Amino acid sequence: MLRLFNSLTRKKEVFAPLKPPDVGFYACGPTVYGYIHIGNLRTFIFEDLLRRYLKYKGFKVTQVMNITDIDDKTIRRSNEEGIPLSEFTARYEKAFFEDIKAMNIEPAEHYPRATEHIDEMVSLVKQLIDGGYAYEQDGSFYFDVAKFKPYGALSGIEPGSTKTRSRIDQDEYEKQDVRDFALWKAKRENEPFWETEIGPGRPGWHIECSAMSMSYLGETFDLHTGGVDNMFPHHENELAQSQAATGKPLARFWLHSEYLLLDKSKMAKSMGNIYTLRDILALGYKARQLRYLLLSSHYRKQLSFSLDLLEQAGASLCRIDDFVRNLRSAGTFDADSPELAEATEKCRSRFEEAMDDDLNISKALGVLFTFIRTVNERLQESGISGGDRANIEALLTKLDGIIGVLELGQEDEMPAEVRELIDKRQEARESKNWKLADEIRDQLKEHGIVVEDTKDGVRIKRL
RNA sequence: GGCGGCAUAGCCAAGUGGCUAAGGCAGAGGACUGCAAAUCCUCGAUCCCGGGUUCGAAUCCCGGUGCCGCCUCCA
């Protein structure tokens, strides 16, 4: 039974979807005004893990991730570059899809763009106006926070306790209460706008998520996720305006992933302490190495990023890779081992047990590594039967459906040149010409090929 | 100022009342190997500090200390 930590109740709760086996899942997506950084990726990886695990558990997931292609930042940046907003955002949207693909993040079912759902937003604003939750000021519309009693329930921010802050509206919009937020911003100079029933203008930040989530998933859906920094004000406002409009809960479970820290503070574009995936790749690291790192720590714990950690992640991953290679290259026999069958089943059940506990991935990976050691012992002592091996490979395939980080596919054909070198080295070894054999081994290494001699023959490893 | 989180071996990290405190990385020694790699074996922490509760606490309570965050755009 899967239990998830619900930010709404601040407790782990048994997850059961509204209409099993369907799960409606809304994940806050990127604002496409620059390359995403690895802190953003941490959240997307968390959502990917959640999505994959839900599928593993037999749920049918419909995931929606918005693309914010209109907001203050996208408008400002595109103006600075002097190109149309759509051209500007298309560039970073494309980069976003490239990045998540490189990270082996499963695509969501829908990636709605804000600019393509203006109608839905306008009708939501109208609903709020009709319900008395919104007021107009100089052509803009604001949500009247005082009218929505449960406000603050998600983030735990008490309206009265907030620091006295001179929140003089930097955008020069007039609000009645500092806590009120814009639903619809009136048309302004040098900004894109839409002619609508509520006048010319553009959407506020929060309204897009309410409009799009509800139009794709219904007024109440199962899961809403994002980084903790979105809890307030974004999710709080989203929840307020949605529930005020429909009178129904928006999402049943709200999950938030913690920050990725760099140099002891959160990684954020506004602070400049960021690494993008492209930076990481340029340093010679692999995307799956980063995936493993971001994946392997619990999503609700802050993770302090460093290149050293990335190295460690790579080394851990290497152990798994070596295991897969060793398992596949081992000679086999017929007699199955009851102990191995039991260990395999135990690995599966304990891995699942750990994941059921709010995605306790660290524990789950611990289970996997313990299993790897057990099998390695076998491989070393007595070898393995074909049946056991197939059984273990099947488990690895199943688990990789969750973690998405193993390399279980067939390896590519080796270039003839490399093949020849390997054969030549074998000949040299047979005639005990160690010097030549070692030279060839060095040559192969330059081709990114590591050869290992085992009792079952030569084993090839690609770097 | 209000509110929240975290603190376990060199690094990462599980464990939230009771057998020898998971697992990974790094390191040391050994086995295996022509050498190497991989693999296996052996080696490391009494759990930030101080009180308290309890037969018994890393695990609960109180008080500190340190770090991060939210209250403003931000995954």
Side-chain angles (χ1 to χ4, degrees):
Chain A
M1 215 189 298
L2 174 61
R3 298 169 78 237
L4 296 172
F5 185 88
N6 190 349
S7 299
L8 263 183
T9 55
R10 290 170 192 84
K11 280 191 303 226
K12 285 182 195 171
E13 295 175 17
V14 173
F15 176 75
L18 215 50
K19 292 177 205 137
D22 295 323
V23 172
F25 175 8
Y26 189 84
C28 266
T31 300
V32 283
Y33 70 103
Y35 295 123
I36 56 170
H37 58 70
I38 61 177
N40 302 130
L41 276 173
R42 184 188 193 190
T43 295
F44 298 139
I45 291 281
F46 146 64
E47 285 154 354
D48 187 47
L49 182 66
L50 175 60
R51 169 197 171 82
R52 285 165 175 266
Y53 193 59
L54 287 166
K55 285 169 71 177
Y56 173 91
K57 296 289 278 184
F59 294 115
K60 202 170 161 292
V61 178
T62 300
Q63 184 185 1
V64 177
M65 181 179 276
N66 63 297
I67 302 288
T68 300
D69 58 354
I70 175 154
D71 81 322
D72 295 352
K73 287 190 289 273
T74 47
I75 292 168
R76 195 179 68 235
R77 297 279 174 89
S78 66
N79 279 344
E80 280 167 11
E81 288 196 25
I83 59 174
L85 180 67
S86 58
E87 191 182 315
F88 176 82
T89 57
R91 183 159 85 211
Y92 292 108
E93 183 185 303
K94 180 164 170 283
F96 165 70
F97 284 117
E98 286 167 1
D99 287 353
I100 62 170
K101 187 170 181 208
M103 291 296 283
N104 198 25
I105 290 171
E106 280 189 2
E109 278 63 31
H110 304 282
Y111 287 102
R113 297 188 184 93
T115 54
E116 290 169 4
H117 295 78
I118 301 294
D119 289 347
E120 289 89 331
M121 299 184 215
V122 168
S123 52
L124 188 57
V125 174
K126 279 173 63 190
Q127 232 175 305
L128 289 168
I129 296 168
D130 294 345
Y133 287 100
Y135 60 88
E136 186 258 335
Q137 193 90 268
D138 302 328
S140 293
F141 288 87
Y142 296 92
F143 185 84
D144 192 344
V145 169
K147 292 258 171 59
F148 186 72
K149 293 287 173 279
Y151 192 82
L154 177 64
S155 60
I157 288 170
E158 303 273 330
S161 72
T162 50
K163 184 166 64 176
T164 310
R165 48 185 197 275
S166 53
R167 227 169 75 167
I168 308 295
D169 191 352
Q170 297 163 348
D171 289 339
E172 298 160 23
Y173 291 99
E174 294 298 324
K175 293 185 285 192
Q176 291 176 356
D177 182 318
V178 288
R179 295 176 300 152
D180 292 351
F181 54 91
L183 296 164
W184 184 257
K185 299 184 172 187
K187 175 185 171 185
R188 298 170 79 188
E189 200 65 27
N190 294 321
E191 284 190 358
F193 67 94
W194 283 261
E195 287 291 356
T196 72
E197 291 177 61
I198 54 174
R202 65 175 174 96
W205 175 29
H206 318 293
I207 198 74
E208 62 164 284
C209 283
S210 290
M212 298 195 290
S213 62
M214 290 196 284
S215 84
Y216 283 83
L217 299 170
E219 291 179 341
T220 300
F221 49 90
D222 297 300
L223 288 164
H224 194 309
T225 65
V228 275
D229 42 359
N230 271 341
M231 200 147 122
F232 188 90
H234 185 51
H235 290 165
E236 191 70 64
N237 291 350
E238 207 179 315
L239 184 156
Q241 67 198 2
S242 303
Q243 299 194 6
T246 65
K248 295 173 191 162
L250 179 63
R252 301 168 57 242
F253 282 76
W254 292 79
L255 273 56
H256 293 95
S257 59
E258 259 295 348
Y259 291 119
L260 185 66
L261 309 180
L262 180 65
D263 299 331
K264 298 209 158 189
S265 59
K266 70 170 172 172
M267 191 175 286
K269 283 179 189 149
S270 57
M271 302 183 73
N273 61 338
I274 65 168
Y275 277 103
T276 62
L277 173 59
R278 286 141 211 266
D279 294 333
I280 297 296
L281 297 178
L283 288 169
Y285 299 100
K286 299 245 169 61
R288 61 190 286 265
Q289 199 173 342
L290 178 63
R291 179 181 172 91
Y292 183 87
L293 173 61
L294 298 178
L295 185 82
S296 63
S297 67
H298 189 77
Y299 75 96
R300 280 193 294 115
K301 285 193 90 171
Q302 294 180 346
L303 174 61
S304 216
F305 180 80
S306 69
L307 294 179
D308 180 53
L309 271 191
L310 197 53
E311 303 269 1
Q312 286 189 26
S316 300
L317 200 47
C318 193
R319 180 164 167 84
I320 305 178
D321 291 343
D322 284 338
F323 170 68
V324 172
R325 201 172 293 112
N326 295 352
L327 180 69
R328 287 180 167 180
S329 65
T332 57
F333 46 77
D334 287 337
D336 294 341
S337 150
E339 293 82 26
L340 262 190
E342 194 191 321
T344 307
E345 169 54 22
K346 206 158 101 181
C347 174
R348 190 202 57 74
S349 65
R350 292 197 173 164
F351 192 98
E352 195 172 327
E353 227 171 78
M355 290 298 288
D356 273 347
D357 182 17
D358 195 33
L359 310 182
N360 191 339
I361 186 72
S362 309
K363 192 177 188 178
L365 289 173
V367 169
L368 177 60
F369 278 109
T370 301
F371 175 65
I372 286 175
R373 178 173 300 269
T374 304
V375 179
N376 274 336
E377 278 168 29
R378 273 281 161 165
L379 287 174
Q380 167 142 319
E381 280 167 23
S382 57
I384 193 166
S385 75
D388 286 335
R389 181 163 79 180
N391 197 17
I392 292 167
E393 282 214 46
L395 174 68
L396 291 176
T397 302
K398 203 160 187 315
L399 296 185
D400 193 50
I402 302 171
I403 59 182
V405 79
L406 305 186
E407 284 186 330
L408 298 171
Q410 291 301 312
E411 301 224 316
D412 305 333
E413 276 298 305
M414 245 164 308
E417 181 192 5
V418 169
R419 191 72 257 173
E420 264 170 47
L421 280 172
I422 292 169
D423 291 343
K424 234 170 98 183
R425 177 167 178 277
Q426 277 309 97
E427 284 167 29
R429 290 189 71 234
E430 273 154 32
S431 56
K432 300 205 189 301
N433 186 349
W434 308 125
K435 188 165 176 289
L436 179 61
D438 290 350
E439 276 171 20
I440 297 175
R441 184 161 61 195
D442 290 341
Q443 280 177 41
L444 283 166
K445 195 155 189 184
E446 283 165 26
H447 285 86
I449 304 287
V450 173
V451 286
E452 301 174 356
D453 305 313
T454 75
K455 65 179 192 301
D456 296 314
V458 64
R459 188 165 58 210
I460 310 298
K461 182 165 159 182
R462 291 157 198 265
L463 293 182

